[in-house]
Amino acid sequence: MAEAATIGDSEFDRDTAVTLREPGVYDAELSAGWTIIRAVNGGYLLALLGRALGESLPHRDPLAVSAHYLTASRPGPAVIRTQAVRSGRTMSTGQASLFQRDEDGGEVERIRVLATYGDLDQLPDDVRTSAKPPAIPPREHCFGPSDAPAPIPGSSAITDRLDIKLDPATLGWALGAPSGKGEMRAWFGLADGRDADPLSLLLTVDALPPTAFELGLEGWTPTVELTAHIRCRPAPGPLRVSITTRNLAGGFLEEDADVWDSADRLVAQSRQLVMAPRG
């Protein structure tokens, strides 16, 4: 078995690296390894902009990150422009936009983010919650893309970079018998064994198959807006992710994600608005 990648050495870290061009402006290369069909995954993009903001703001840890996806991103060069909105003693807020060149050479904004950063290690340790970790069978009783006799619909390059084992109760869509419940649950990690950190949690909240599949819908579900809350620094070990959809109306649905670490702590939450497949 290959040695697990450490934070800083993994493919995720290399592919979310940014290079300072001038104050507040960073160059980046969007990797084809994080694509779904032909579009770059939204969680990967969120982590990329999250890294740029962490480099530009006085605080390093994302606390609340809200992104609007304007046009689909593609692999290749990109530039990220950041701006500090407010800097305080315990928190700072900034915004960032990612741009790419179109076929005519013009600059197109792909995604815009507004985020608040702080220090997760300085947060109070008082916890009062009714939330409970999702009831997922042991990892050895769950299934990933490599367990399927044929490629799982919607799978693509990103699946090679993730270690996902889905709860069989949310896998009906892959067998042609979706439950109609709009739920997705899984064990989650990076394929190279890198442990989770606050930045990679921004990927985690948008890395499972869409809940639309389990609603019996097939096709691309582009994200319109995604807001992620990072609650604490995750403990080493696999994560558990639960995503639910309660409402599909007007051609849109929401996906609410909870991410739990190996110490049974709720480490991240998100809500995103996505377009329902039109096929």
Side-chain angles (χ1 to χ4, degrees), residues 7 22 29 44 49 58 94 113 117 134 151 161 174 185 192 197-198 208-209 211-212 217 235 247 252-253 272:
I7 293 176
E22 59 187 72
E29 184 74 19
Y44 164 74
L49 273 77
V113 166
Y117 276 56
R161 271 131 210 99
R185 293 184 296 274
D192 60 13
D197 69 350
L208 266 57
T211 55
L217 304 174
N247 186 59
F252 296 90
L253 58 93
Q272 62 175 302

Side-chain angles (χ1 to χ4, degrees), residues 40-240:
V40 179
N41 170 259
Y44 164 74
L45 292 171
L46 200 64
L48 184 69
L49 273 77
R51 188 180 294 281
L53 280 167
E55 294 285 340
S56 65
L57 294 173
H59 298 92
R60 305 287 290 187
D61 295 329
L63 302 179
V65 182
S66 183
H68 284 262
Y69 295 81
L70 308 177
T71 57
S73 300
R74 51 180 169 75
V79 60
I80 300 171
R81 295 191 174 93
T82 67
Q83 179 184 1
V85 177
R86 177 187 178 275
S87 295
R89 184 175 60 84
T90 60
M91 292 186 294
S92 54
T93 298
Q95 62 183 15
S97 291
L98 183 144
F99 299 86
Q100 289 186 302
R101 296 287 179 182
D102 62 16
E103 295 178 356
D104 298 325
E107 202 171 59
V108 179
E109 187 175 7
R110 304 293 194 193
I111 175 176
R112 184 177 297 190
V113 166
L114 182 66
T116 294
Y117 276 56
D119 185 348
L120 289 168
D121 295 327
Q122 298 301 315
L123 298 183
D125 56 8
D126 181 33
V127 176
R128 309 180 196 190
T129 180
S130 60
K132 296 180 180 179
I136 302 178
R139 194 176 180 280
E140 59 269 22
H141 295 155
C142 296
F143 300 93
S146 61
D147 300 311
I152 291 179
S155 64
S156 48
I158 192 173
T159 60
D160 294 332
R161 271 131 210 99
L162 306 177
D163 182 11
I164 295 178
K165 293 291 185 179
L166 290 160
D167 183 341
T170 67
L171 255 180
W173 56 275
L175 305 174
S179 68
K181 295 181 178 180
E183 299 176 349
M184 205 67 65
R185 293 184 296 274
W187 294 92
F188 180 88
L190 293 172
D192 60 13
R194 177 198 189 274
D195 279 320
D197 69 350
L199 192 67
S200 72
L201 290 175
L202 297 178
L203 164 72
T204 304
V205 297
D206 189 41
L208 266 57
T211 55
F213 289 176
E214 197 63 349
L215 288 171
L217 304 174
E218 297 182 1
W220 189 36
T221 55
T223 302
V224 176
E225 185 271 345
L226 188 158
T227 294
H229 295 165
I230 307 304
R231 308 304 300 266
C232 62
R233 199 175 306 280
L239 301 169
R240 286 160 292 171

